[in-house]
Every structure is written in structure tokens, then in C-alpha cells.
Amino acid sequence: MTEYAVRNPATGELVRKYDTATDADIASAIDRAQAAYQEWGRRTSVAERAALVRRVAELHTERTEELADLIVEEMGKPREEAVGEVEFSAAIYEYYADNAEEFLKDEEITLLAGEGTARIHREPVGVLLGIMPWNFPAYQVARFAGPNLCLGNTILLKHAPQCPSSSAFIEQIFTDAGFPDGAYVNIYASNEQAADIIADPRVQGVSVTGSERAGAAVAEVAGRNLKKVVLELGGSDPFLVLGTDDMDATVEAALAARLGNTGQACNAGKRFIVTEDLYDEFVDKFTAGILAAGRAPLSSELAADRLMEQIERAKADGATLVAAEGEREGAHVPSGVLTGVSRDSDTFYQELFGPVAMVFKAKDEAEAIQLANDTPFGLGSYVFTNDPEQAERVAGQIEAGMVFVNLVDADGVELPFGGVKRSGLGRELGRFGIEEFVNRKMIRMG
């Protein structure tokens, strides 16, 4: 049975518990969402819907402190980062409110033969299910709900079981913004109920941010029921250091890429690949910075268990760990750097979700690219070089959905987010984020 509860991330102590939805609750939620789609989503203008989304942005701004408090309580995010997450979420809603009319306007098609006109008219498709993760409780919702509510789709939102308070708070924001009943419904659903929701003929698609395992399970159900999916899954993003005029600045960027959200971000830098002429200096300075982070709190003891198992497996397979002082305590784990991780080790191909980095030496650019691409994932990547031609050349060869050259923490509401390979399908944010669950209806006039 899925338990929706707030637990102290460090100790596991129960703080607050919520009732999991009954089957009757789920049936009612789908009924309400379908009614809102028919009576509101299909009958209102883009401008009317965008005005409500703009109010959601304003309420996020007005209630930043309250929502940030809940995020910190639920998953242990550093408070400054929680505040930043809520502020970025507000910016996402505002971006779609500002641009929805332009993004969704009719598009003329030039006819090759015949008289008359043809155009693409963009319409909503109906009720959507969102399945969201614990590591960014507000931001992930904004990426999904903002564009789709502007479009006229209605939302059933199943959040991570450890984020029930923030998910209820966000639902209240949509209500207070003026959305009609059923336009956005928070549901404390079990995994089995989520599968039933996907199978319901009124539900037209599902968006999942989470693990490979969760994405595969949802995609299997969606495929059987011919439903569109957007999957934003794991990542083991490479961070290539190929050249630099300022090693200290490069290391500072690498630390930011690895330690943001205490390393619990799908698009964090996780595998640091450094050419041999820069390797020793980089490793010395990078390791010092990682160790200075000390013991970092993860979201739960279970998350800490998983990370420590991966580290121990890598060590057993010949890797070397340099870690901060102190032992693991509850969900707090020592930050560290792994070198010498073998391709024969399972850990080489896995995502490390926490403040531990893998560092690899590459003899040249070609080997660095080969190492970067030797992964089942393909979400983001980072390339640091002082050679503009090399930057273009390498960026073109990285197998990933996103490449950031000589900068980190550069996500933007206007920039599409998503990956390839086992990192998922589809895109969120930017123009492409509003195009995933849309009916591009062709209208031909004689």
C-alpha cells in the first residue's frame, strides 16, 4: 500500500500522514477532470486560461516562504535552494502565460496544389496524468501543469508519496487562482490506481519524471492503452574538462554541477572526464572542494542506502574513494570522489544520486567523447574548453538532449529540457513543452 506521509528526511521519523485515495476518490477525480475539460478547457480562449496561469505565478511568489518550508520539511532541500525552486516555478508559469497565445496560434500551410487554404489549429487533447518526483516538488509540477493548462488540458497530479503537504499546497494555489473544479486535481493514488487511471479512455496521456524503473512501468501501461507519454528519467551527465584558462573557475563550476540539491538532480554533473594534461590539478582541487561539503543530507535513509551500496560495489571492483571525514549517519552521507571506476563494475553505468562524483582520465578529446557517450543515459552534459572550435566539435558529438558549454546552472524557462536513450522521451519547457500533448488539427478549406 502506498503511504503518503511526511517523514523527517534525516531520521525517518513520521511527521504527518495522509490517507491514500480510495477507488471512489480516483473515479471522482477523473469525472471532475473530464467535466472541466469539456466545460472549461474546450470552451475558453487561450487568453482566459493564460490569465489564470499568470495568477498561479503570482501566488507562488506571494507564498514562496510557505511552500519552501514544506519542501524543506519533506525532502531536506537546503532552504535557499527551496526558495529558488519556488521562484523558478513562478517564472515558468509566467513564461507560459506570456507566450501561450503566440505558441498556440494557427499556422498556415502553403498548398502545393489546389485552391483554398490549409492551416494547423492547435487544440487540447483532454485529461492528463502527471506523476512527479520528490527532488523538485514545485518545479516539476510547473513544467507539466503550466503549459498544459494554458493549452486547455486538465491535470490529475500524482506526486511522490513523500511530498503530500507541498502537493496539497500547490493544488490550493490553483484553486485560489480561480481554476474551476477539476482543472487541477491532486490525487494520493497508489501505483496500481495510477495504472488504472492511464487505462481510463478519458485520460489522453501521462507525463512522468522519475527513475528508469518508474518510467518503464508507466510506458508499458501507456503502450498497451495507446496513450502518449513524456518521460524525463535518470541521467549520468558527463562533465568534460578539455581545456581551461582558469582551473579554479572550472573547478568551481564542476562543484556546483555536482553538489546542487546535494547531488540529487537528474541533470547534475556526475561523471567528470578530464584530459590527462589537466587531470592531476583538477582532481586535487575538485576533491578538496567535494570534501569541504562534509556530510550531506539526502532525502531519506533509503536514498542513502542506495548510494552507499553503489559506492561499496565500485570499491569492491577496484575503485578508490576519497571521502569526507565521519561515518554515514541516518540519511547523512559523507561527500566523496571515486576514481578508477572500472567498466566491469555495475556502478560505472549507474546514476549516483548524491554528493559523490566519479572522475575519469582521458588521453585526448576522442577518448573523452567516447567515455562521455559510454552510458545508457543521455540527458544533459557539460563541456569546458578554451577552444571555440573544439566546443562546437565536441558538442556536436555528445549523445545527450542538452549540452552546456563553459557554464552550469544555466537552465531557463525558454530552454527545452529532456534527453535521449534511457533518459526519456519528449521535452519540457520552452516552446516544445507546450507541443507535447496537443492536437495539431489540420483544417483544409476549398
Side-chain angles (χ1 to χ4, degrees), residues 170-401:
I170 292 169
E171 181 186 43
Q172 190 62 50
I173 284 179
F174 282 97
T175 299
D176 293 346
F179 278 90
D181 178 65
Y184 181 100
V185 185
N186 179 55
I187 50 173
Y188 297 132
S190 67
N191 292 337
E192 294 76 18
Q193 289 171 327
D196 291 339
I197 293 168
I198 296 168
D200 191 290
R202 294 167 294 179
V203 175
Q204 300 303 311
V206 56
S207 179
V208 180
T209 299
S211 66
E212 288 179 86
R213 179 180 175 183
V218 168
E220 181 180 1
V221 177
R224 288 201 304 268
N225 290 280
L226 301 178
K227 302 295 176 70
K228 169 72 181 287
V229 296
V230 168
L231 303 175
E232 198 277 277
L233 308 178
S236 189
D237 291 9
F239 188 111
L240 282 66
V241 182
L242 306 177
T244 179
D245 293 323
D246 187 343
M247 180 60 79
D248 289 341
T250 299
V251 168
E252 184 178 350
L255 291 169
R258 174 68 291 216
L259 296 175
N261 203 34
T262 60
Q264 299 172 110
C266 52
N267 63 327
K270 298 188 177 80
R271 296 178 299 126
F272 295 81
I273 302 165
V274 188
T275 53
E276 57 186 5
D277 57 321
L278 302 172
Y279 181 84
D280 289 341
E281 182 183 7
F282 176 86
V283 169
D284 287 347
K285 293 181 175 181
F286 181 66
T287 301
I290 290 287
L291 299 189
R295 286 190 307 179
L298 299 191
S299 63
S300 67
E301 293 191 43
L302 185 62
D305 289 342
R306 167 69 171 162
L307 179 62
M308 298 306 291
E309 288 170 5
Q310 292 172 302
I311 292 170
E312 291 304 317
R313 186 180 305 115
K315 290 168 59 180
D317 293 332
T320 299
L321 173 71
V322 178
E325 292 184 5
E327 300 296 322
R328 173 196 167 173
E329 184 177 327
H332 289 72
V333 299
S335 57
V337 174
L338 280 167
T339 55
V341 180
S342 168
R343 279 187 167 91
D344 295 327
S345 176
D346 290 345
T347 304
F348 182 92
Y349 296 102
Q350 293 174 345
E351 175 182 28
L352 299 186
F353 224 56
V356 177
M358 291 188 280
V359 183
F360 302 92
K361 182 189 293 186
K363 65 181 180 180
D364 54 22
E365 174 189 306
E367 186 176 32
I369 294 170
Q370 194 276 331
L371 277 167
N373 291 335
D374 189 10
T375 174
F377 300 103
L379 187 55
S381 59
Y382 304 86
V383 177
F384 275 69
T385 174
N386 50 0
D387 181 344
E389 292 184 0
Q390 183 181 52
E392 289 286 350
R393 184 172 63 246
V394 173
Q397 296 180 66
I398 298 294
E399 297 170 357

Side-chain angles (χ1 to χ4, degrees), residues 30-44 49 124-127 152-155 180-183 201-204:
I30 300 173
D31 288 345
R32 291 161 56 204
Q34 176 67 8
Y37 167 64
Q38 294 289 353
E39 298 166 12
W40 171 79
R42 291 182 58 82
R43 297 184 182 184
T44 51
R49 298 190 296 268
V125 295
V127 180
N153 294 320
T154 55
I155 304 297
D181 178 65
R202 294 167 294 179
V203 175
Q204 300 303 311

Side-chain angles (χ1 to χ4, degrees), residues 81-111:
E81 293 186 24
V83 168
E85 178 184 342
V86 179
E87 291 173 344
F88 192 35
S89 301
I92 292 170
Y93 291 114
E94 184 175 15
Y95 172 78
Y96 283 109
D98 287 343
N99 293 283
E101 287 187 280
E102 176 64 23
F103 290 162
L104 298 174
K105 69 181 181 182
D106 284 4
E107 180 181 340
E108 297 297 322
I109 300 174
T110 301
L111 294 173

